[in-house]
Structure formats: structure tokens, C-alpha cells
Coordinates of all heavy atoms in Angstrom, one line a residue:
S13 N 206.0 -48.8 35.9 CA 204.8 -49.4 35.4 C 203.8 -49.3 36.6 O 204.1 -49.7 37.8 CB 205.0 -50.9 35.1 OG 203.7 -51.6 35.0
F14 N 202.5 -48.8 36.3 CA 201.6 -48.7 37.4 C 201.2 -50.1 37.9 O 200.6 -50.2 39.0 CB 200.3 -48.0 36.8 CG 200.6 -46.5 36.5 CD1 200.1 -46.0 35.3 CD2 201.3 -45.7 37.4 CE1 200.3 -44.6 35.0 CE2 201.5 -44.4 37.0 CZ 201.0 -43.9 35.9
A15 N 201.4 -51.1 37.1 CA 201.1 -52.5 37.5 C 202.1 -53.1 38.4 O 201.8 -54.2 39.0 CB 200.9 -53.4 36.3
S16 N 203.3 -52.5 38.6 CA 204.3 -53.2 39.4 C 203.9 -53.2 40.8 O 203.3 -52.2 41.4 CB 205.6 -52.4 39.2 OG 205.5 -51.0 39.6
S17 N 204.2 -54.3 41.5 CA 203.9 -54.5 42.9 C 204.9 -55.3 43.6 O 205.1 -56.5 43.2 CB 202.5 -55.2 43.0 OG 202.1 -55.3 44.4
P18 N 205.6 -54.8 44.6 CA 205.5 -53.4 45.1 C 205.9 -52.4 43.9 O 206.7 -52.8 43.0 CB 206.5 -53.3 46.3 CG 207.4 -54.4 46.0 CD 206.6 -55.5 45.3
P19 N 205.5 -51.1 44.1 CA 205.9 -50.2 43.0 C 207.4 -50.2 42.8 O 208.2 -50.0 43.7 CB 205.4 -48.8 43.6 CG 204.3 -49.2 44.6 CD 204.8 -50.5 45.2
L20 N 207.8 -50.2 41.5 CA 209.2 -50.3 41.1 C 209.5 -49.2 40.1 O 208.8 -49.0 39.2 CB 209.5 -51.6 40.6 CG 211.0 -51.9 40.3 CD1 211.8 -52.2 41.5 CD2 211.1 -53.1 39.3
V21 N 210.6 -48.5 40.3 CA 211.1 -47.5 39.3 C 212.4 -48.0 38.7 O 213.3 -48.4 39.5 CB 211.3 -46.1 40.0 CG1 211.8 -45.1 38.9 CG2 210.0 -45.6 40.5
V22 N 212.5 -48.0 37.4 CA 213.8 -48.4 36.7 C 214.4 -47.1 36.2 O 213.8 -46.2 35.6 CB 213.4 -49.3 35.5 CG1 214.7 -49.7 34.8 CG2 212.7 -50.5 36.0
R23 N 215.7 -47.0 36.4 CA 216.6 -45.9 35.9 C 217.7 -46.4 35.1 O 218.5 -47.2 35.6 CB 217.1 -45.0 37.1 CG 217.9 -43.8 36.6 CD 218.3 -42.9 37.7 NE 219.3 -43.4 38.6 CZ 219.8 -42.8 39.7 NH1 219.4 -41.7 40.0 NH2 220.8 -43.4 40.4
E24 N 217.8 -46.0 33.9 CA 218.8 -46.4 32.9 C 219.6 -45.2 32.5 O 219.0 -44.2 32.0 CB 218.2 -47.1 31.7 CG 219.3 -47.5 30.7 CD 218.6 -48.1 29.4 OE1 218.2 -49.2 29.5 OE2 218.5 -47.4 28.4
T25 N 220.9 -45.2 32.7 CA 221.8 -44.1 32.3 C 222.7 -44.6 31.2 O 223.3 -45.7 31.4 CB 222.6 -43.5 33.4 OG1 223.3 -44.4 34.1 CG2 221.6 -42.7 34.3
S26 N 222.9 -43.9 30.1 CA 223.7 -44.4 29.0 C 224.4 -43.2 28.4 O 223.9 -42.1 28.2 CB 222.8 -45.0 27.9 OG 222.2 -46.2 28.3
G27 N 225.7 -43.4 28.1 CA 226.6 -42.4 27.5 C 227.3 -42.9 26.2 O 227.8 -44.1 26.2
W28 N 227.2 -42.1 25.2 CA 227.8 -42.4 23.9 C 228.7 -41.3 23.5 O 228.5 -40.1 23.8 CB 226.8 -42.6 22.8 CG 225.9 -43.8 23.0 CD1 226.0 -45.0 22.5 CD2 224.6 -43.7 23.6 NE1 224.9 -45.8 22.8 CE2 224.0 -45.0 23.5 CE3 223.8 -42.7 24.3 CZ2 222.8 -45.3 24.1 CZ3 222.7 -43.0 24.9 CH2 222.1 -44.3 24.7
E29 N 229.8 -41.5 22.7 CA 230.7 -40.5 22.2 C 231.3 -41.0 20.9 O 231.6 -42.2 20.8 CB 231.7 -40.2 23.3 CG 232.7 -39.0 22.9 CD 233.7 -38.9 24.0 OE1 234.7 -39.6 24.0 OE2 233.5 -38.0 24.9
A30 N 231.6 -40.1 20.0 CA 232.3 -40.5 18.8 C 233.0 -39.3 18.2 O 232.5 -38.2 18.4 CB 231.3 -41.2 17.8
P31 N 234.0 -39.5 17.4 CA 234.7 -38.4 16.7 C 233.7 -37.7 15.8 O 232.8 -38.4 15.2 CB 235.8 -39.1 15.9 CG 236.1 -40.3 16.7 CD 234.8 -40.8 17.2
Y32 N 233.8 -36.4 15.6 CA 232.9 -35.6 14.8 C 232.8 -36.2 13.3 O 231.7 -36.4 12.9 CB 233.5 -34.2 14.7 CG 232.6 -33.2 14.0 CD1 231.7 -32.5 14.6 CD2 232.7 -33.0 12.6 CE1 230.8 -31.5 14.0 CE2 232.0 -32.1 11.9 CZ 231.0 -31.3 12.6 OH 230.3 -30.4 11.9
D33 N 233.9 -36.5 12.7 CA 233.8 -37.0 11.3 C 233.1 -38.3 11.2 O 232.5 -38.6 10.1 CB 235.3 -37.1 10.8 CG 235.9 -35.7 10.5 OD1 235.1 -34.7 10.4 OD2 237.1 -35.6 10.3
R34 N 233.2 -39.2 12.2 CA 232.5 -40.4 12.1 C 231.0 -40.3 12.1 O 230.3 -41.0 11.4 CB 233.0 -41.3 13.3 CG 232.3 -42.7 13.2 CD 233.2 -43.8 13.9 NE 232.7 -45.1 13.5 CZ 233.4 -46.2 13.5 NH1 234.7 -46.0 13.7 NH2 232.9 -47.3 13.2
V35 N 230.5 -39.3 12.8 CA 229.1 -39.0 12.8 C 228.7 -38.3 11.5 O 227.7 -38.6 10.9 CB 228.7 -38.2 14.1 CG1 227.2 -37.8 14.0 CG2 229.0 -39.0 15.3
K36 N 229.5 -37.3 11.2 CA 229.2 -36.5 9.9 C 229.2 -37.5 8.7 O 228.4 -37.2 7.8 CB 230.3 -35.5 9.7 CG 230.1 -34.6 8.6 CD 231.2 -33.6 8.5 CE 231.0 -32.7 7.3 NZ 232.1 -31.7 7.1
Y37 N 229.9 -38.5 8.7 CA 230.0 -39.5 7.6 C 228.6 -40.1 7.4 O 228.3 -40.5 6.3 CB 231.0 -40.5 7.9 CG 231.1 -41.6 6.7 CD1 231.8 -41.3 5.6 CD2 230.6 -42.8 6.9 CE1 231.9 -42.3 4.6 CE2 230.7 -43.8 5.9 CZ 231.3 -43.5 4.7 OH 231.5 -44.5 3.7
R38 N 227.8 -40.1 8.4 CA 226.4 -40.8 8.3 C 225.3 -39.9 7.9 O 224.2 -40.3 7.9 CB 226.1 -41.4 9.7 CG 227.1 -42.3 10.3 CD 227.1 -43.7 9.6 NE 225.9 -44.4 9.9 CZ 225.7 -45.2 10.9 NH1 226.7 -45.4 11.8 NH2 224.5 -45.9 11.1
L39 N 225.7 -38.7 7.5 CA 224.7 -37.7 7.0 C 223.9 -38.3 5.8 O 224.6 -38.9 4.8 CB 225.3 -36.4 6.6 CG 225.7 -35.5 7.7 CD1 226.6 -34.3 7.2 CD2 224.5 -34.9 8.4
P40 N 222.6 -38.2 5.7 CA 221.9 -38.7 4.6 C 222.3 -38.0 3.3 O 222.3 -38.6 2.2 CB 220.4 -38.4 5.0 CG 220.4 -38.2 6.4 CD 221.7 -37.7 6.8
K41 N 222.6 -36.7 3.4 CA 222.9 -35.9 2.2 C 224.2 -35.1 2.6 O 224.2 -34.4 3.6 CB 221.9 -34.9 1.8 CG 220.5 -35.5 1.4 CD 219.5 -34.5 1.1 CE 218.1 -35.1 0.7 NZ 217.1 -34.1 0.4
R42 N 225.2 -35.2 1.8 CA 226.6 -34.7 2.1 C 226.5 -33.2 2.2 O 227.3 -32.6 3.0 CB 227.6 -35.1 1.1 CG 227.8 -36.5 0.9 CD 228.5 -37.1 2.2 NE 228.7 -38.5 2.1 CZ 228.8 -39.3 3.1 NH1 228.7 -38.8 4.3 NH2 229.0 -40.6 3.0
D43 N 225.6 -32.5 1.5 CA 225.6 -31.1 1.5 C 224.6 -30.5 2.4 O 224.3 -29.3 2.5 CB 225.3 -30.5 0.1 CG 224.0 -31.1 -0.5 OD1 223.5 -32.0 0.1 OD2 223.5 -30.6 -1.5
D44 N 224.0 -31.3 3.2 CA 223.0 -30.8 4.2 C 223.5 -31.2 5.6 O 223.4 -32.4 6.0 CB 221.6 -31.5 4.0 CG 220.6 -31.0 5.0 OD1 220.8 -30.1 5.7 OD2 219.5 -31.5 4.9
L45 N 224.0 -30.2 6.4 CA 224.6 -30.5 7.7 C 223.5 -30.3 8.8 O 223.9 -30.4 10.0 CB 225.7 -29.5 7.9 CG 226.9 -29.5 6.9 CD1 228.0 -28.6 7.3 CD2 227.4 -30.9 6.7
T46 N 222.2 -30.0 8.4 CA 221.2 -29.8 9.4 C 221.1 -30.9 10.5 O 220.9 -30.6 11.7 CB 219.9 -29.6 8.8 OG1 220.0 -28.6 7.8 CG2 218.8 -29.2 9.7
P47 N 221.2 -32.2 10.1 CA 221.0 -33.2 11.1 C 222.1 -33.1 12.2 O 221.8 -33.6 13.4 CB 221.2 -34.5 10.3 CG 220.8 -34.2 8.9 CD 221.2 -32.8 8.8
L48 N 223.2 -32.5 12.0 CA 224.3 -32.4 13.0 C 223.9 -31.5 14.2 O 224.6 -31.5 15.1 CB 225.6 -31.9 12.4 CG 226.2 -32.8 11.2 CD1 227.5 -32.1 10.7 CD2 226.4 -34.2 11.7
T49 N 222.7 -30.8 14.0 CA 222.3 -29.9 15.1 C 221.0 -30.6 15.7 O 220.4 -29.9 16.6 CB 221.9 -28.5 14.6 OG1 220.8 -28.6 13.6 CG2 223.1 -27.9 13.9
D50 N 220.7 -31.8 15.4 CA 219.4 -32.4 15.8 C 219.8 -33.5 16.9 O 220.3 -34.5 16.6 CB 218.7 -33.0 14.7 CG 217.4 -33.7 15.1 OD1 217.1 -33.8 16.3 OD2 216.7 -34.3 14.3
P51 N 219.5 -33.2 18.2 CA 219.8 -34.2 19.2 C 219.3 -35.6 19.0 O 220.0 -36.5 19.4 CB 219.3 -33.5 20.5 CG 219.2 -32.0 20.2 CD 218.9 -32.0 18.7
M52 N 218.1 -35.7 18.5 CA 217.5 -37.0 18.2 C 218.3 -37.7 17.2 O 218.5 -38.9 17.3 CB 216.0 -36.8 17.8 CG 215.1 -36.3 19.0 SD 213.4 -36.2 18.5 CE 213.1 -38.0 18.3
W53 N 218.6 -37.0 16.1 CA 219.4 -37.7 15.1 C 220.8 -38.1 15.6 O 221.3 -39.2 15.3 CB 219.5 -36.8 13.8 CG 220.3 -37.4 12.6 CD1 219.7 -38.2 11.7 CD2 221.6 -37.4 12.3 NE1 220.6 -38.6 10.8 CE2 221.8 -38.1 11.2 CE3 222.7 -36.7 12.9 CZ2 223.1 -38.3 10.6 CZ3 224.0 -36.9 12.3 CH2 224.2 -37.7 11.1

């Protein structure tokens, strides 16, 4: 934040992991695997 005084930088690191099928189960459409290649999704 440019308003921080003295200047402060925040660093957050986060790691997640799950079995493939658990994520695949959350697909909006069963026959569309495209989201599985989308890092944001």
C-alpha cells in the first residue's frame, strides 16, 4: 500500500493439492474437460 508508513510489503505464499478425480468431479459440464486446463479455474 502506498499509504503504509513506514513502507510495508506483505508476502503471502499458499499451496493447495488434491487428487485429480476430486477436482474433475467439480466440472460444470461432465462432457467438457476444458476447465481442467485453466489455471484460474
